[in-house]
Amino acid sequence: MSHFPRRQGWVIGLFALLIVLFIATKLIQPGYGSGDFGSLARAVLPYAFAVAAQTVVVIAGGIDLSVAAMMALTSVTAASMMAGASEEYALFVVPFVLAMGFVLGALNGLLIVVTRVPDIVVTLAMLFVLQGAALLVLGAPGGAAAEWLKALISGTVPIPGLPDGVDAWLPKALLVLIVCLSIIWIPLRRSRLGLSIYAIGSSELAAFRSGVPVKRTRIVAYALSGLFAAFGGLALTMSTGIGAPIPGPYLLASVAAVVLGGVALGGGKGGLLGPIVAVFVLRLVRTDLTLLAIDPNVTAIIEGAIMVAVVMFGAFITMRGRQ
Amino acid sequence: MSTSAITPVPFGRRVKRIMADRPLIPLTILLVILVVILQILRPGIVNERWIANTIKFAIPLAILAGCQTMTMLTGGIDLSVGTVATMSAFIMATQIVSQDPAVAFLLAMMPAVLIGLVNGIGVGVFRVHPLIMTLGTSLIGTGCLQVYQRTVIASGAKIPDFLAWLGTGVTSGFPNALLLFVPLAALIVFTLARTGFGRLLYAVGDNERATRLSGVQYWQVITALYITSSVLAGITGLLYIGLIKAPSLSLAEPLVLPSVAAAVIGGTSIFGGRGGYTGTIIGALILTVLTTLLTILQMPEGARRILFGLIVLFVTAAYLRIVEDR
């Protein structure tokens, strides 16, 4: 138990930061309530999945520049399939899109393993490919989403026996996020495969010599990344009701949150909880800046500066720790 | 290679050997093949004017790819070049209205130096991953540019005649931009191959620990490198605005990822320590011809991007095969 705080120190610090930010928000805007928290959770949803997608590959010692493009492609696919279709048809669309993300992610990994081209270049090339495919599927923003899908992330979860005041603080979007991430991440973390992912990120050579199937593990890591990105694409379609073929700012945001969340870019270290909390922190900072009535353009500067400062600070701490 | 050992094909092996020893040869062959395909698809398109045009559009890409080449030699990458180029171009176009050209030039280069300095300190002193650092500074730069745009929205913008001449002008068949590019390229090649700074870049990328133990001040090398890279990007911005003639807030952004691709196709290792600028120049030419080719085929935008991505991937993979077989 004694090493728990040390290992989880970064995440605990992030949680503290998040709470401080919530208090600050309440001070800035005394009316900040459960409804605003719900919209925060909805706004975080696509970002959180993008971050999860990035986290898996970064832990495996790689990087995925195609996350945002993958989200755009899955989002337009889902939106164009659901346009004009019945509500039940969406039951088929969701698994189809998720499978598509998984397969395309696996293709990323396969290309890296087979061609031996650096991951950064392969995913960069895939960024173009996926973006192009998204444009072919849907030339302009459009499509539709099934009503039950949209309803899935709006509103709150009624829990019997609890007063409404508490219920209101549990938005459905947050529950969807937690459920989707934990049904994949928790079993993975406890499995041999999860251990292999950490192992190849930590030291590929050592993992190989210990009998870890390095290539297969790498492919699976990218496939999982594709799966999370597909969740992100679905979340985009669910929250906007349409699909847009232009990738959003999710690549940069995902890398930023991964670093802020305490996952080392070299691989092998960190977990999923840190980056997810980091996303909430980054989004909440944005909310606060908006509430302070700061020019949105200045907000972009402040956000960037915070990101750079945090990353520098993190690197500094790591450097100190090593000495 | 194993199959060729069982059934020896001396000629084929010799060709492969030559190609591996001189990586420029396969790249040049690829470039020629692309031009030939173009000529077959549209007979008569390859003429003096087309060549001048292609070179004109390849030059900004080649300079930005030079930034990537140098940073990649140390195992880094500079993704802020697009923002830096856009900033200097936009500031130049708006400041020239009211300022003296020299003052406008200095104002335009200021953000470039500043961003380069911040990148260098972040990467060299704080040891932040270059990818993150340069993405972050480019985010900040874009924000600053948007704020700046508000302040100059009334004054309007204009493209200085000199930049338009440099960017688009052609003198007796040669694009004027070559006047800037040839000395610049020669300088980069010379610096990388013949000077101490160039050697340091290779050394840092090859084995950082060894260079530091040999008494090299790592942070000084890195800071100087990122400032150089940013200044080059700023100059590219000025050239590019003369070529495009429409100042916008995302002017040079579309060049960033192709510049990385050009350097990688040109044979520079993204992990550092290996590569050179001549290959990068041909890489930039290949990408420019490729873009023309895909435009001429009149494909939808989506299919064009898909093909672009696939070809970049394929060329890099094929190239790695050839070089690694040594």
Side-chain angles (χ1 to χ4, degrees), chain A residues 256-291:
Chain A
V258 164
V259 175
L260 181 54
V263 176
L265 268 181
K269 277 200 205 91
L272 189 56
L273 187 60
I276 298 294
V277 179
V279 180
F280 274 94
V281 168
L282 288 176
R283 287 293 100 191
L284 199 56
V285 166
R286 178 161 213 131
T287 313
D288 282 355
L289 291 173
T290 316
L291 288 178

Side-chain angles (χ1 to χ4, degrees), chain B residues 8-31:
Chain B
V9 192
F11 180 69
R13 282 194 67 166
R14 223 164 40 219
V15 169
K16 220 170 176 185
R17 198 52 184 282
I18 293 171
M19 283 189 167
D21 287 344
R22 299 243 177 287
L24 284 183
I25 296 175
L27 283 177
T28 317
I29 293 174
L30 178 68
L31 182 60

Side-chain angles (χ1 to χ4, degrees), chain B:
Chain B
M1 284 304 277
S2 58
T3 48
S4 59
I6 300 160
T7 52
V9 192
F11 180 69
R13 282 194 67 166
R14 223 164 40 219
V15 169
K16 220 170 176 185
R17 198 52 184 282
I18 293 171
M19 283 189 167
D21 287 344
R22 299 243 177 287
L24 284 183
I25 296 175
L27 283 177
T28 317
I29 293 174
L30 178 68
L31 182 60
V32 172
I33 291 175
L34 282 175
V35 174
V36 169
I37 294 175
L38 201 61
Q39 174 73 11
I40 293 169
L41 287 176
R42 280 275 187 291
I45 189 179
V46 181
N47 55 24
E48 213 174 77
R49 248 191 78 215
W50 179 82
I51 292 175
N53 230 339
T54 304
I55 292 176
K56 258 189 324 208
F57 276 92
I59 284 175
L61 181 60
I63 306 180
L64 289 189
C67 304
Q68 307 299 355
T69 307
M70 289 194 291
T71 43
M72 271 159 64
L73 283 178
T74 65
I77 193 166
D78 190 350
L79 294 182
S80 66
V81 288
T83 304
V84 170
T86 310
M87 280 178 102
S88 63
F90 196 83
I91 293 174
M92 185 71 181
T94 46
Q95 287 298 324
I96 197 80
V97 180
S98 53
Q99 302 277 5
D100 187 61
V103 178
F105 175 74
L106 285 180
L107 282 175
M109 293 313 283
M110 226 163 53
V113 175
L114 211 65
I115 287 186
L117 184 69
V118 175
N119 279 341
I121 290 175
V123 176
V125 180
F126 288 92
R127 320 302 308 269
V128 179
H129 194 287
L131 189 79
I132 310 296
M133 195 62 213
T134 52
L135 265 180
T137 48
S138 96
L139 191 73
I140 299 176
T142 309
C144 290
L145 196 57
Q146 273 165 349
V147 174
Y148 169 77
Q149 186 206 19
R150 294 263 180 90
T151 64
V152 292
I153 211 152
S155 65
K158 113 177 191 255
I159 314 298
D161 295 335
F162 173 70
L163 290 182
W165 176 83
L166 193 64
T168 38
V170 176
T171 312
S172 63
F174 289 99
N176 296 336
L178 281 176
L179 282 178
L180 175 71
F181 181 67
V182 171
L184 208 60
L187 187 69
I188 295 177
V189 171
F190 178 78
T191 309
L192 286 183
R194 291 269 176 274
T195 65
F197 182 63
R199 298 250 161 96
L200 280 179
L201 294 186
Y202 281 96
V204 164
D206 203 32
N207 191 338
E208 192 198 310
R209 207 174 132 72
T211 27
R212 260 197 294 178
L213 291 178
S214 328
V216 173
Q217 290 288 330
Y218 176 77
W219 72 273
Q220 288 174 355
V221 179
I222 294 294
T223 310
L225 166 71
Y226 279 91
I227 292 178
T228 315
S229 166
S230 256
V231 168
L232 279 179
I235 293 172
T236 316
L238 298 185
L239 185 67
Y240 201 56
I241 189 80
L243 181 64
I244 300 292
K245 291 192 182 137
S248 77
L249 291 186
S250 56
L251 180 76
E253 238 21 91
L255 290 181
V256 178
L257 297 181
S259 76
V260 178
V264 173
I265 288 177
T268 301
S269 163
I270 206 151
F271 299 120
R274 195 161 49 102
Y277 190 48
T278 36
T280 305
I281 298 175
I282 300 184
L285 277 171
I286 289 176
L287 285 184
T288 313
V289 174
L290 195 63
T291 314
T292 326
L293 192 65
L294 295 180
T295 315
I296 277 184
L297 290 174
Q298 288 185 327
M299 286 185 179
E301 172 70 18
R304 230 159 50 195
R305 287 199 196 173
I306 294 181
L307 262 179
F308 187 84
L310 288 181
I311 290 172
V312 167
L313 186 60
F314 176 76
V315 169
T316 321
Y319 186 77
L320 275 182
R321 273 293 132 80
I322 292 176
V323 175
E324 276 180 1
D325 264 351
R326 255 188 281 211

Side-chain angles (χ1 to χ4, degrees), chain A residues 229-257:
Chain A
F231 270 117
L234 278 177
L236 273 178
T237 306
M238 277 150 88
S239 55
T240 58
I242 56 165
I246 308 299
Y250 301 106
L251 171 61
L252 180 64
S254 71
V255 178

Side-chain angles (χ1 to χ4, degrees), chain A residues 17 45 53 68 78 98 113 139 168 171 175 207 221 266 269 304 311 315:
Chain A
L17 183 62
L45 200 57
L98 293 181
V113 167
L175 192 72
K269 277 200 205 91
V311 173

Side-chain angles (χ1 to χ4, degrees), chain A residues 6-15 259-262 310 313-314 317:
Chain A
R6 217 177 326 139
R7 272 181 65 190
Q8 298 293 329
W10 190 263
V11 179
I12 291 169
L14 273 177
F15 261 118
V259 175
L260 181 54
V310 164
F313 180 71
I317 295 281

